[in-house]
Amino acid sequence: MQADLANITTMLRIRQRALTDNADISIMQMAYVTGDISQEVFIKALREDNQKIVTIFAKTPYGRLVSEGTEKCDVTGSLSHFEKLCDDFIMLYLTEAGKNPFGIEALFAYAVGRMREIANIRLVLIGKLNNLPTVAIRDRIRELRVKK
């Protein structure tokens, strides 16, 4: 799951840069991490518009993320909302997996939740030090317990 999300993020970042000729394909081939989605899908998606990319990923578990992320990226020009959606998607998965009281998943979900709390505290402190508006900080805060 994390490999696919990293590949999608990389592909969207490469598209944002609008590189020339085959440079984008070369970078995607080098940055690709083996996941459930094949490298060919990402290379094909590099040259497509956002609507086609949404269609390509609609059949995967990441369809909603790609749809919302590309939509927000068109408006803001930033992938930070997409990255937040990815983090929340992973947290939702861990929350569901952590409901098994006899497995290691609960311990792992707890550890990831604690790391996310620390990251959120750092984000707030750095935002305050840099005099960022409260709304901008609030938009970047990751969910600790994802609501369905």
Side-chain angles (χ1 to χ4, degrees):
M1 175 188 337
Q2 282 189 312
D4 289 331
L5 292 174
N7 288 331
I8 293 170
T9 304
T10 301
M11 186 257 316
L12 291 174
R13 287 197 182 285
I14 291 170
R15 283 186 70 247
Q16 250 186 343
R17 301 287 179 251
L19 300 173
T20 59
D21 297 327
N22 292 328
D24 53 356
I25 293 173
S26 298
I27 293 172
M28 189 69 222
Q29 287 173 335
M30 287 186 288
Y32 178 78
V33 179
T34 304
D36 293 333
I37 303 173
S38 72
Q39 186 177 28
E40 290 76 31
V41 172
F42 291 105
I43 290 173
K44 177 183 172 194
L46 277 173
R47 301 282 168 89
E48 303 292 347
D49 63 350
N50 283 348
Q51 286 298 340
K52 184 71 174 165
I53 289 174
V54 169
T55 305
I56 290 170
F57 290 102
K59 298 172 186 147
T60 68
Y62 319 111
R64 183 186 63 83
L65 300 177
V66 173
S67 175
E68 285 183 39
T70 55
E71 208 173 282
K72 188 80 169 188
C73 183
D74 286 344
V75 174
T76 63
S78 170
L79 286 173
S80 62
H81 182 72
F82 175 74
E83 290 170 348
K84 181 182 184 305
L85 290 173
C86 290
D87 287 347
D88 291 344
F89 183 81
I90 292 169
M91 197 64 199
L92 176 63
Y93 178 79
L94 290 174
T95 302
E96 290 300 315
K99 291 181 180 176
N100 178 5
F102 301 110
I104 188 119
E105 296 91 352
L107 182 61
F108 188 68
Y110 174 78
V112 170
R114 296 299 274 178
M115 287 189 292
R116 185 170 283 194
E117 285 177 5
I118 293 168
N120 280 344
I121 291 169
R122 288 182 60 211
L123 194 135
V124 169
L125 292 175
I126 290 171
K128 290 296 183 185
L129 283 173
N130 291 319
N131 296 320
L132 286 176
T134 306
V135 175
I137 296 171
R138 197 171 285 138
D139 286 343
R140 289 183 172 89
I141 297 249
R142 300 323 196 230
E143 293 291 331
L144 297 177
R145 302 288 181 261
V146 178
K147 301 144 196 97
K148 287 187 178 181

